[in-house]
């Protein structure tokens, strides 16, 4: 009987510790991270008008400065879960030879030169079916050199 009670107490203590640790996760609770690179569109219908959950995302640099796109990488979350896709650079030419698991293409004016300038767009064509209407998509951009997050934006597909 005492063993069962001790096991229950230890289980509740561990559950409380896990909940306390989750409160400190920056992804869920840190509102100080700016939304510089904003998702402007997630397309579900392909060019022929057929609903294929195309998962074509457009991201815009809404900041006032340009960023060296070669020094940026991105993480994508769907409904709070990190997707297993690889965006190791936002430079389209450097992206071509990389292993782009779950991503079909990356392009647009922001990926073509050396700098992703203010108001320029980058399009990311995820594997069909990655996003569905109503999914909450979060796009985070990090600096390769410092490993610090630069931008986080959440968008409902």
């Amino acid at each position: 009987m005492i063993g069962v009670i001790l096991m229950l107490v230890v289980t509740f203590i561990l559950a409380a510790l896990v909940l306390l640790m989750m409160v400190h996760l920056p992804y869920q609770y840190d509102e100080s991270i700016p939304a510089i690179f904003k998702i402007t569109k997630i397309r579900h219908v392909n060019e022929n008008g057929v609903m294929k959950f195309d998962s074509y995302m457009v991201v815009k640099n809404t900041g006032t400065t340009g960023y060296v796109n070669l020094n940026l990488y991105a993480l994508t979350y769907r409904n709070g879960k990190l997707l297993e896709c690889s965006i190791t650079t936002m430079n389209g030419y450097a992206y071509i030879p990389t292993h782009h698991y779950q991503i079909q293409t990356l392009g647009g004016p922001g990926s073509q030169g050396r700098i992703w300038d203010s108001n320029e767009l980058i399009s990311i064509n995820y594997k069909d079916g990655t996003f569905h209407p109503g999914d909450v998509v979060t796009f985070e951009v990090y600096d390769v050199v410092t490993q610090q997050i630069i931008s986080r934006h959440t968008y409902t597909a």
Side-chain angles (χ1 to χ4, degrees):
M1 182 73 164
I2 294 174
V4 172
I5 292 172
L6 283 174
M7 284 178 41
L8 286 172
V9 168
V10 168
T11 302
F12 284 119
I13 290 172
L14 288 174
L17 288 172
V18 168
L19 287 173
L20 285 173
M21 289 187 322
M22 287 180 60
V23 169
H24 296 291
L25 290 176
Y27 168 72
Q28 293 179 342
Y29 298 100
D30 189 353
E31 295 179 10
S32 65
I33 299 168
I36 297 168
F37 304 107
K38 292 186 177 181
I39 303 168
T40 61
K41 172 171 108 172
I42 295 178
R43 185 177 72 198
H44 302 293
V45 178
N46 71 5
E47 290 85 15
N48 300 324
V50 178
M51 176 65 89
K52 294 189 76 164
F53 305 107
D54 200 25
S55 301
Y56 178 88
M57 180 192 303
V58 178
V59 181
K60 181 178 184 179
N61 178 352
T62 62
T64 58
T65 185
Y67 290 84
V68 177
N69 54 24
L70 190 62
N71 292 343
L72 302 175
Y73 71 93
L75 299 177
T76 310
Y77 297 83
R78 178 187 59 227
N79 300 323
K81 293 181 111 175
L82 178 63
L83 295 179
E84 295 181 14
C85 59
S86 179
I87 307 174
T88 56
T89 180
M90 299 305 287
N91 181 290
Y93 301 110
Y95 185 75
I96 291 170
T98 67
H99 175 70
H100 25 288
Y101 179 69
Q102 300 280 338
I103 307 279
Q104 295 174 2
T105 59
L106 182 139
S111 71
Q112 292 176 357
R114 188 177 145 311
I115 304 292
W116 185 358
D117 282 318
S118 181
N119 293 318
E120 284 187 331
L121 303 172
I122 287 182
S123 60
I124 306 166
N125 193 359
Y126 291 81
K127 177 183 166 194
D128 289 356
T130 300
F131 306 122
H132 292 85
D135 283 346
V136 176
V137 179
T138 300
F139 188 73
E140 295 180 341
V141 178
Y142 292 81
D143 183 289
V144 170
V145 177
T146 64
Q147 296 296 311
Q148 296 294 313
I149 188 167
I150 297 171
S151 172
R152 176 184 295 135
H153 186 243
T154 300
Y155 182 89
T156 302

